[in-house]
Amino acid sequence: MSEKDVASESNLASPSSRKEVLLWEVLHALKQEIYLFTPLGLLSFVNRAGGDALGGALEGLTGLPWRNLPLFQGLGEPFAVAWRDLPSSDEVRSGKFFRSASGGHRRYVWTLRRLARADAVLCTMEDVSDRWGLEEALQNNEELFWDMFRQSASMMLLLDPTNGAVVDAN
């Protein structure tokens, strides 16, 4: 999908100034999926990553309600409630979901934010599978450390390196 395809399918005008072209390039270069909706929930813009998640073909998608897009239907009730209760402020609503991909399921986080000055709603989706896996591994390693620390037959002290104070002892 080219920029020209995205521009022609979006109800946003093609970029005309240098700043607009730069912003356009940045939005389409992001790996994070970006969707822009009207306050009524009609899709008005999607970046390249979002277009790929929607199947790569944007023909006929602009102007559709988010509820008619299979990707968003799969988010279920938490997303629908967040949309319904979205305040007029800059407060962010978010949630987690899984998406099938080659090689298994991937964990994603979605966020919703009303952009009052733009009279639009911004939705982003980000694949956090790798980060989530690292956090789980770190948590498991910490649990292993504390198990070893508490069960050790030898006396062990945990010292604060900045002041030498004893933080914990087994």
Side-chain angles (χ1 to χ4, degrees):
M1 173 177 45
S2 71
E3 288 172 22
K4 189 175 180 182
D5 294 334
V6 173
S8 66
E9 287 300 319
S10 173
N11 69 0
L12 298 176
S14 295
S16 57
S17 73
R18 178 160 167 64
K19 284 183 183 179
E20 288 174 335
V21 169
L22 180 60
L23 180 59
W24 193 265
E25 288 293 322
V26 168
L27 286 174
H28 286 292
L30 293 173
K31 290 183 180 180
Q32 186 178 47
E33 298 167 29
I34 299 175
Y35 306 90
L36 194 61
F37 294 95
T38 68
L40 296 175
L42 305 177
L43 182 64
S44 61
F45 173 81
V46 59
N47 72 342
R48 193 169 287 128
D52 291 345
L54 290 171
L58 297 178
E59 295 82 25
L61 292 177
T62 2
L64 285 178
W66 68 265
R67 290 181 183 276
N68 291 9
L69 299 169
L71 173 68
F72 290 91
Q73 291 170 351
L75 299 181
E77 192 62 22
F79 187 83
V81 168
W83 184 280
R84 183 190 69 220
D85 297 341
L86 196 62
S88 58
S89 68
D90 283 340
E91 186 178 338
V92 175
R93 304 283 188 199
S94 64
K96 299 173 186 148
F97 70 101
F98 290 95
R99 183 186 292 161
S100 293
S102 59
H105 282 40
R106 304 288 294 172
R107 184 181 299 260
Y108 282 75
V109 171
W110 57 261
T111 60
L112 277 177
R113 177 187 307 251
R114 187 174 305 279
L115 305 174
R117 289 178 43 194
D119 197 27
V121 176
L122 174 67
C123 176
T124 61
M125 296 187 188
E126 182 177 8
D127 183 342
V128 294
S129 300
D130 296 334
R131 183 173 65 205
W132 195 274
L134 291 173
E135 289 172 3
E136 284 180 348
L138 181 60
Q139 187 176 23
N140 290 340
N141 284 338
E142 184 178 3
E143 288 172 14
L144 287 172
F145 167 79
W146 285 112
D147 287 346
M148 178 204 64
F149 182 80
R150 289 187 186 99
Q151 295 172 8
S152 175
S154 303
M155 182 184 89
M156 295 179 78
L157 295 175
L158 186 59
L159 303 174
D160 183 335
T162 59
N163 60 17
V166 174
V167 175
D168 202 350
N170 67 345

